Amino acid sequence: MNRLPTTVWHPMWVAVANLQNLALPGRRYYPNQDGYSEAAYRRKVAWVGQQFHRLSADVLLCPEVWDEQALREAVAASKLRYPTVVVPGAEAGAQGTPRLGLVSRWQVERLQTLSDFDPADQVPVPELGLQTRFERPVLMAELRGPQDQELTLLGVHLKSKRPKFLLDAEGNPLEDRDDPSVQARATLRSLLMRAAEAAALRRFVVTLARGRQRPLVVAGDFNDGPLSVTSQLVAATQAVAYDREARDTALFHAVDLQTEPGLRHDRPYSHVHQGWPELLDQVWVSEEFDPRSRFAVGEVRRVEVFNDHLLEGRDGSRSDHGFLRVLLQFRGA
């Protein structure tokens, strides 16, 4: 009896873990924020290490890291071995805004930070002038796995929904933050900044998709949900419904593609704001991970959300984000 050939799968676990201001002790990363005491820092590093051990991902993308040394200590606390632990822009401490950390077992063949918009993507923001760059640079990594799997990863942390109030040169407020009309105007600025970043990121996605030699994963803290305008600016998944050629440059949400439907949650969430749960931390993949595509090289097997700590209270050591872990499978020979 002839038997069908058995498919060999090579797994890759990818995780997004927003570490909520991981910084060295005593460092005032924001002017109005006291630094961690030595004891508080040790608690945070130990907690992050425990979470890394639970995730045991091949690749971890970590938004909100102020000091590369702090991330290295958290990885050491996990008792896991990772050849690559980097935070571009935070080697000697980030200034102004936290950076994205990359922790990887896979070989990093190329690592680049993308800060500036294409001139065509620059957008005027009311009272602030022209936005020309990402507030937190995008991280681009070309990765190679132990069985010669290839992947391009774009790590992102888009502008938050927090209202963007006007400040003077010393950081003092120039607006009445209690005025609802001022709050609306400040929220508009924030939205425009996030939308501008999303559109600029979309240009990177399209450029990589059109000339790609590797499957593409875009992951991180989008500061908005999967169906939001800003997320769809990046992914353009909805265009596939009426234009099949749009698949070439579209991204597909890992939650929608996972092939173990029994593990799906009715409403996965990674953040709770004023009682409202949202999936801000996301993983998007190119069509090479859609089994329906003739270009498929693998699939999204499973998506898991580690968010129990969001209900455990705040003590400064835990993150205010749940962590997302995605199992990608590459089809082998």
Side-chain angles (χ1 to χ4, degrees):
M1 181 177 66
N2 293 328
R3 294 185 177 181
L4 294 174
T6 302
T7 300
V8 177
W9 296 101
H10 300 307
M12 177 195 190
W13 290 95
V14 179
V16 177
N18 184 314
L19 301 182
Q20 193 191 8
N21 295 322
L22 180 63
L24 291 172
R27 175 134 128 70
R28 296 192 64 176
Y29 42 88
Y30 288 127
N32 60 348
Q33 177 72 50
D34 292 333
Y36 296 110
S37 67
E38 185 66 33
Y41 173 72
R42 291 300 163 194
R43 286 196 301 271
K44 188 172 183 73
V45 164
W47 183 85
V48 172
Q50 291 172 356
Q51 304 314 306
F52 284 176
H53 189 86
R54 288 180 68 203
L55 293 167
S56 191
D58 296 298
V59 177
L60 286 142
L61 186 71
C62 303
E64 292 207 21
V65 179
W66 288 92
D67 295 287
E68 185 176 285
Q69 181 184 337
L71 183 59
R72 290 183 177 276
E73 292 187 17
V75 170
S78 75
K79 309 300 183 185
L80 301 176
R81 295 186 62 185
Y82 287 97
T84 299
V85 181
V86 293
V87 189
E91 297 89 346
Q95 299 299 319
T97 186
R99 295 299 187 104
L100 284 155
L102 178 67
V103 180
S104 180
R105 293 189 183 116
W106 280 31
Q107 180 184 353
V108 180
E109 296 187 324
R110 182 186 176 205
L111 186 66
Q112 183 180 359
T113 53
L114 308 172
S115 300
D116 296 327
F117 291 0
D118 184 284
D121 295 323
Q122 297 177 2
V123 174
V125 179
E127 293 83 49
L128 293 178
L130 201 62
Q131 185 174 356
T132 63
R133 57 191 293 123
F134 291 93
E135 192 171 66
R136 291 173 283 252
V138 174
L139 193 64
M140 183 174 76
E142 293 182 358
L143 307 173
R144 184 175 297 274
Q147 283 79 37
D148 259 358
Q149 312 100 305
E150 294 181 318
L151 184 76
T152 297
L153 173 69
L154 285 179
V156 305
H157 187 185
L158 299 185
K159 176 70 181 70
S160 72
K161 295 180 182 179
R162 187 178 297 113
K164 186 71 173 180
F165 292 104
L166 300 179
L167 304 172
D168 64 18
E170 285 73 41
N172 300 310
L174 293 174
E175 301 177 289
D176 180 4
R177 299 188 176 192
D178 295 325
D179 185 331
S181 297
V182 170
Q183 293 171 4
R185 186 72 170 178
T187 301
L188 171 64
R189 295 185 198 112
S190 179
L191 173 60
L192 287 173
M193 293 174 70
R194 187 168 66 260
E197 290 184 336
L201 177 61
R202 176 64 183 166
R203 186 178 295 274
F204 294 145
V205 169
V206 170
T207 300
L208 287 170
R210 284 179 172 165
R212 70 175 173 254
Q213 303 297 316
R214 306 173 185 231
L216 176 63
V217 170
V218 182
D221 182 355
F222 281 68
N223 266 311
D224 222 335
L227 298 180
S228 68
V229 172
T230 53
S231 292
Q232 281 302 311
L233 267 173
V234 178
T237 312
Q238 295 167 343
V240 173
Y242 56 85
D243 180 5
R244 288 195 60 81
E245 292 185 2
R247 296 181 64 87
D248 295 342
T249 58
L251 297 174
F252 302 86
H253 203 276
V255 170
D256 298 327
L257 289 187
Q258 61 182 319
T259 57
E260 290 188 2
L263 293 175
R264 291 183 182 176
H265 297 278
D266 290 337
R267 189 178 182 184
Y269 64 92
S270 64
H271 186 68
V272 179
H273 179 65
Q274 295 180 349
W276 291 94
E278 298 177 289
L279 188 63
L280 302 184
D281 304 270
Q282 303 180 45
V283 175
W284 296 84
V285 300
S286 58
E287 68 171 324
E288 284 87 348
F289 292 105
D290 184 348
R292 299 166 296 182
S293 171
R294 61 191 178 95
F295 300 109
V297 301
E299 65 181 22
V300 179
R301 184 67 174 167
R302 183 187 310 165
V303 179
E304 300 168 335
V305 182
F306 295 72
N307 58 12
D308 287 348
H309 60 270
L310 299 181
L311 307 177
E312 294 172 355
R314 303 282 178 85
D315 67 358
S317 61
R318 303 182 184 96
S319 174
D320 61 348
H321 281 245
F323 301 153
L324 202 69
R325 185 174 72 172
V326 175
L327 174 57
L328 302 177
Q329 293 196 136
F330 289 78
R331 191 180 296 116

